[in-house]
Every structure is written in structure tokens, then in C-alpha cells.
Amino acid sequence: AYQGRAALVVRPATTEEVAAVVRLCHDAGVALVPQGGNTGLCGGSIPDSSGRQVVLSLTRMKRIREIDLANETITVEAGVILQQLQEAASQAGRLFPLSLGAEGSCTVGGNLATNAGGTAVLRYGNMRELTLGLEVVLPDGRVWHGLRGLRKDNTGYDLKHLFIGSEGTLGIITAAVLKLFPGPHSTGTAWVALPTPQAAVDLIGHVRSLCADRLTGFEMMSRQSLEFVLDHVAGCSDPLQGPHPWYALIELRDTVPDAPLDLLLESGLGHAFETGWVIDAVIASNQTQAAALWALREGISEAQNHEGPSLKHDISVPVSQIPAFIERTDSALQQAFPGVRIVSYGHMGDGNLHYNISKPLGHADAPFKAQEQAIMQVIYQMTSAFNGSISAEHGLGQAKPDAAAHFKDPLEIELMRAIKHTLDPTGLMNPGKVFATGLE
Ligand code: S2G
Ligand code: ZN
């Protein structure tokens, strides 16, 4: 989706090498574009077309430096692939909970730079909540050695939170101390059909009151989203009879081996049937069936690409407002752009919808793509009207700085610029990202 042309790509293997490259670029006035797994959806790791920017790839920094079981922490370098981190935690009998579709190729550095979310935020939080310490190469080449594994440290501003989510515009994250959690020994997974998004809101409230922290995932998707997957993802089939307007994938986890999570799901869903929140349901009877249900959910992102351009809108509103947002935005879009196909799905428990738009059936790509800005305006204006965010988890990159400048409070942009000018006065760290042109 984004093209660029780098003067060169540098692949340092240690923090000292990263610092040396940054110092050289700083002294030479050359802009740097940090890059991890390059799986971002907003072009945050792609250089501009000038051919003058240097891509600094963290992919050779792959060491897992330390696992401290008693402190429940793991210290990893930025180039470690998320799946490798998950496996290292599991081999140590622990869980590192961050999980998202790109986990086979995204890097921990990129997860930190974008404050990645994914499907377990409901229980464990974003990358921000999973991080205790950072090592960062600052724009002038100095190294901040902040790799502390402390859960309590009230000695002034919590500096790591400036760099988490800064998308490489304030410095280069080279390592982190991350939290580990007790590994789950029981999992319960259900796929349910719902009449409305409001039923999903009612259901998640009920399940959470019943299961508390054992509720680790609650993903919602529209029938349109499921139909794309059934049409384009091999090996996928509809778990229930007949089409239904909405679906939810519910996951429970417990550290107790053989915990009766299926019974908990059955009793929770029994009440949901009585109240009409649920039309139909299936509970996975083994891990294979559970994985097949997750494949339906994780397949949506890929499946959209088979239906022409997918105009992505990663928005969040208060959970209670999701039904009204969907109703009002769907009708506003159909009125202005009749026939557009709305692929509405996402992390219901976080109030985070991937509200993606595909072209009307039979229409050509180009005229639909030409409506991208107008469609985006309708969706972001409605998001704003619900006091939501125009980028819940994917960040701003080069795709959304203008929208952020338009929809965010000007005072927030001013404070962000003050921080940017303090840490990167020469503006060489990932220029053109996060800030709109002229606002850096
Ligand atoms: C997800 C992936 C991006 C998209 O699947 O949770 O974050 O909207 C999204 O296709
Ligand atoms: Zn997502």
C-alpha cells in the first residue's frame, strides 16, 4: 500500500551499532526510518520517495537477553519476532499474551513503537501495559538504559510511555523488559450468532460478570465479514446453520488444569438464549475446533483483499456506544455511497472496531478508491461525534497524520510537538510520520 525509496538499509546487530549509525546520521543530517517486521498498516516504517532516507532495520537484534521467572519478566531485543517471544515464554512455563494476526512476522520493537493491541487486550492490555522497561537510542545517538524490571518506580515522569506508541519519531527502541503471566492450562471457546450489536454489548457484560478475568477474548464480526472469509479462505466453513446478522467469538482461559470452562460457557450462554441475546451457539470441544473458529476471525483481514480495495478504519468508541455507532454510520454510508459493503469486526471488549469498507458488488476499483477521503470523513466524523479515536491500535504512520491533526484537540497536538522538538530537535527521526506535514 505504501512505496518508498531508501538511500540504503542498515542492519545493525547490537545497541552500540544502532547508536553508532544514529550518531553518524545525526551528524550528517540524514533522516532515519526505523523498521521491524514491516507489517504495519499505516506505512510507519516505509521511507519517502526522496532516496535520501536511511532505513535502519532492527531485524538482526534477535537476542532474548534474560528471563526472570521470580520477577515474571523477560528482556528481549527489538528484532525478536512476536511468535518467538510467545514460544520463549511458553518454554519457560509462562505466557506472553500479546497476540495479533501478524505475530509470525511482526517484531517486538514494532509492537512497542505502535503500542500494538490484538485479541487479548481485553484481559492483558496493550503493549503499553505489558512493558516495564525500555532501552532506547535517542536521536543524537545517546543510549537510554531504562531496562528496569520494576513494577513500582515513582521517581518522576514515566519516560518509557513517551516512546511506546511514538512510531520511531522520538528514538529507536532496541530492547524491552516485558511482563510474563501464568500460563493458561484450560481454554474454553464459543462461537455465537447474535441478532444485533446491542446483544453483543449485553452478552459481553454478562459473560464478564460471570467469568471476570477468565474472559480473555471477545471478538465480534458482521455476516459480511464472515462471508468474505467463507468465500476466500480455504478450509473455512460456517459453524452454524443459516446466515445470522452478527457473530461473536468468546474465549475463556484459566490457570487451573481442566477447569470446567465449557460448563461456564454453557451456563452463561443458557441465560443468553433465554434473554434473546444469542440465536445459536457452538462450543469447541477441542483445540482443533477452537483453532478453526479463530481462523474464521483472523482470516477477515486477508479475505478483504480478494474483494478489491479495503478502506480500513481502525476506530474505537466507548463499548456502550458501539451499537449506535454502527447503526448511524452504516446508514450514513449507504445513503451517501449506496451499495458499499461494510466489513465491520473487531475487538468488542476494547470498543475497537475494524470498520472496513469494500466496493459495491460489480463496481470497478478506481471510482471506489476515488471516494476514499469522502468515505473516511463520514466515518471519522461519526467517530468524533461518539468521542472516539480515529486510530485505536494501528497508529498513525503516514496514513493518518492529517486526520489526527483534524480530529484531535489542538492542545494535544501542541504538547506532542513540544515533546518531539525536545527529543528530536533536528526532526531526523522518521519524518512524515505521526505529524501532519508542516506540523512536525
Ligand atoms: C485485526 C487487522 C487489520 C485490518 O484483524 O484485528 O487489526 O483491519 C486488524 O485488516
Ligand atoms: Zn485489530
Side-chain angles (χ1 to χ4, degrees), residues 109-133:
N111 296 149
L112 285 156
T114 59
N115 184 29
T119 52
V121 169
L122 181 64
R123 166 67 180 80
Y124 298 101
N126 290 302
M127 199 59 178
R128 189 176 298 286
E129 286 84 20
L130 300 174
T131 307
L132 290 175

Side-chain angles (χ1 to χ4, degrees), residues 222-279:
S222 64
R223 177 69 196 179
Q224 180 65 79
S225 313
L226 180 60
E227 280 180 0
F228 277 14
V229 175
L230 298 175
D231 290 347
H232 300 297
V233 181
C236 284
S237 59
D238 195 332
L240 300 174
Q241 292 300 321
H244 299 288
W246 293 91
Y247 299 91
L249 176 60
I250 305 169
E251 182 185 81
L252 305 182
R253 284 182 182 175
D254 199 322
T255 52
V256 171
D258 306 325
L261 298 178
D262 290 0
L263 295 179
L264 204 52
L265 280 168
E266 272 168 33
S267 84
L269 293 176
H271 176 70
F273 272 107
E274 285 157 23
T275 50
W277 296 333
V278 166
I279 305 168

